[in-house]
Amino acid sequence: MAAGGDRSPDAAGSPLADRLNYLFTTMHPPGAPYTNAYVAEEISGGGEYGGVSLTEQYLSMLRNGRRTNPSPDVLRALAKFFAVPVGYLLGDLSPSQAERVEEEVRFLVAMRDKRVRSIALRSVGLPPEVQDSLTTIISQFRQQMNLPPEPPGTNGAGEADGSGGPDGGATNGSR
């Protein structure tokens, strides 16, 4: 997978490498993506990751596909850091489950934008018919600006149902 952009992991390389690169590219605090050094240091220095020792070099090898079979502890730590299921990193999820994880990642990325978050939060508590009207107004603005009816990566209404998924754990700390 090429670095940069919002593309989902593809089958061209190691599934683990593709998914890790996707998470590095998309799941980070505002500013710049995480570095291998930062992630390795956070995981190695945090008891919340089960005492896993991870080096920048080993993480680099996982990301470029030179290492493809990390220990279960390393996989669990990486999954916890990025707030995704371990099965996502392993490629063990069905295509629809993997797409759901990626949809949640895209949602979290969108919610980093203070203005998007403000619009979403202001609609909380409004009756469903008013929320539908707001959705219609936003769709009209998107059409006037020659944008697709739905943002990339959403399926239909693009609603967040609060059913779990990533909890934003990757936004802790700095790069």
Side-chain angles (χ1 to χ4, degrees):
M1 180 176 130
D6 286 336
R7 294 188 338 206
S8 296
D10 57 36
S14 153
L16 175 61
D18 290 342
R19 287 180 171 92
L20 278 174
N21 286 321
Y22 176 71
L23 293 170
F24 267 84
T25 301
T26 56
M27 289 290 288
H28 54 81
Y34 289 123
T35 63
N36 291 338
Y38 177 80
V39 173
E41 183 178 314
E42 284 293 304
I43 289 174
S44 295
E48 66 192 270
Y49 298 105
V52 170
S53 178
L54 183 63
T55 66
E56 175 183 358
Q57 295 77 15
Y58 186 67
L59 187 51
S60 175
M61 288 188 273
L62 290 173
R63 290 185 65 195
N64 67 29
R66 285 191 289 172
R67 293 286 186 267
T68 58
N69 193 20
S71 74
D73 290 339
V74 167
L75 283 172
R76 277 192 293 274
L78 286 166
K80 184 170 186 163
F81 181 85
F82 287 110
V84 297
V86 174
Y88 174 74
L89 292 176
L90 289 172
D92 286 347
L93 301 181
S94 70
S96 64
Q97 290 170 322
E99 177 56 34
R100 178 68 180 156
V101 170
E102 291 164 8
E103 194 173 290
E104 291 171 357
V105 167
R106 288 187 294 269
F107 171 76
L108 289 173
V109 169
M111 291 308 289
R112 275 192 229 139
D113 184 317
K114 184 176 166 182
R115 291 170 294 214
V116 171
R117 202 170 45 248
S118 175
I119 291 167
L121 290 173
R122 287 174 187 218
S123 72
V124 171
L126 295 175
E129 58 274 7
V130 173
Q131 292 176 349
D132 291 342
S133 294
L134 290 172
T135 300
T136 300
I137 292 167
I138 291 170
S139 295
Q140 290 170 347
F141 275 117
R142 291 186 67 81
Q143 184 177 18
Q144 288 175 0
M145 302 190 77
N146 295 320
L147 295 170
E150 297 294 330
T154 59
N155 296 333
E159 70 272 354
D161 62 7
S163 63
D167 62 2
T171 60
N172 297 339
S174 62
R175 305 184 311 241

